[in-house]
Amino acid sequence: MSIWFGEPSLEWANARDDTMIRAIGIEITEATEHSLKGRMPVDHRTRQPGGVLHGGASVALAETLASWGATLTVDASKFYCVGMEINANHVRPVAEGWVYGEATPLTRGRTTQVWDIRITDAAGKLVCVSRCTMAVLAKPSEY
């Protein structure tokens, strides 16, 4: 059984031009039955001065995948999701190319969700592991 509320629209997620997501080149690439996948370039926008992927960029990719993942599992006409907490362990440097993330929910409750995010390099080697807690909030009345 799929985790998504309806059919997830990756086009909608990728069409947001006015965000940091677009500025650093993050793309949502696939919604599997139980996870959301994306990628991010390792280039001048995402490298630290030492020449390797900035840890903050990895966290931005992780939270982006968790946020979109959570958003796509709820009825967007009634709820919206925001990050409450995120942590990350950076385990391997990457100097160029792309990194790939996959976010999988560990739990999806009525008011909170916890997502596990694994970021790998092009060879499939682990670059970063992250956990993100999302708040599921009711949309305010539009009266």
Side-chain angles (χ1 to χ4, degrees), residues 116-131:
D116 177 68
I117 307 96
R118 296 186 177 272
I119 299 172
T120 58
D121 64 13
K125 294 181 178 177
L126 189 63
V127 171
C128 177
V129 61
S130 179
R131 181 169 290 166

Side-chain angles (χ1 to χ4, degrees), residues 61-111:
L61 175 59
E63 186 158 350
T64 297
L65 291 172
S67 293
W68 275 115
T71 297
L72 295 171
T73 65
V74 300
D75 181 347
S77 70
K78 297 178 182 176
F79 302 100
Y80 67 104
C81 300
V82 296
M84 292 175 59
E85 189 275 340
I86 190 165
N87 65 50
N89 294 99
H90 309 289
V91 297
R92 175 174 280 104
V94 178
E96 62 185 9
W98 292 84
V99 288
Y100 303 87
E102 182 170 12
T104 307
L106 298 174
T107 183
R108 293 183 303 118
R110 281 185 313 103
T111 59

Side-chain angles (χ1 to χ4, degrees), residues 1-141:
M1 184 172 172
S2 174
I3 62 173
W4 310 116
F5 184 88
E7 185 67 31
S9 173
L10 304 186
E11 294 77 24
W12 178 55
N14 285 320
R16 308 301 293 267
D17 287 335
D18 58 346
T19 67
M20 182 182 73
I21 297 166
R22 177 67 65 215
I24 63 175
I26 292 174
E27 301 170 10
I28 307 302
T29 58
E30 181 183 359
T32 73
E33 193 171 333
H34 300 288
S35 69
L36 188 67
K37 295 181 179 183
R39 69 182 191 158
M40 179 178 67
V42 180
D43 63 16
H44 67 281
R45 298 170 291 178
T46 58
R47 280 193 291 260
Q48 57 165 276
V52 296
L53 180 62
H54 193 292
S58 293
V59 171
L61 175 59
E63 186 158 350
T64 297
L65 291 172
S67 293
W68 275 115
T71 297
L72 295 171
T73 65
V74 300
D75 181 347
S77 70
K78 297 178 182 176
F79 302 100
Y80 67 104
C81 300
V82 296
M84 292 175 59
E85 189 275 340
I86 190 165
N87 65 50
N89 294 99
H90 309 289
V91 297
R92 175 174 280 104
V94 178
E96 62 185 9
W98 292 84
V99 288
Y100 303 87
E102 182 170 12
T104 307
L106 298 174
T107 183
R108 293 183 303 118
R110 281 185 313 103
T111 59
T112 59
Q113 297 185 10
V114 179
W115 288 73
D116 177 68
I117 307 96
R118 296 186 177 272
I119 299 172
T120 58
D121 64 13
K125 294 181 178 177
L126 189 63
V127 171
C128 177
V129 61
S130 179
R131 181 169 290 166
C132 186
T133 304
M134 302 297 301
V136 179
L137 303 172
K139 282 196 169 177
S141 173

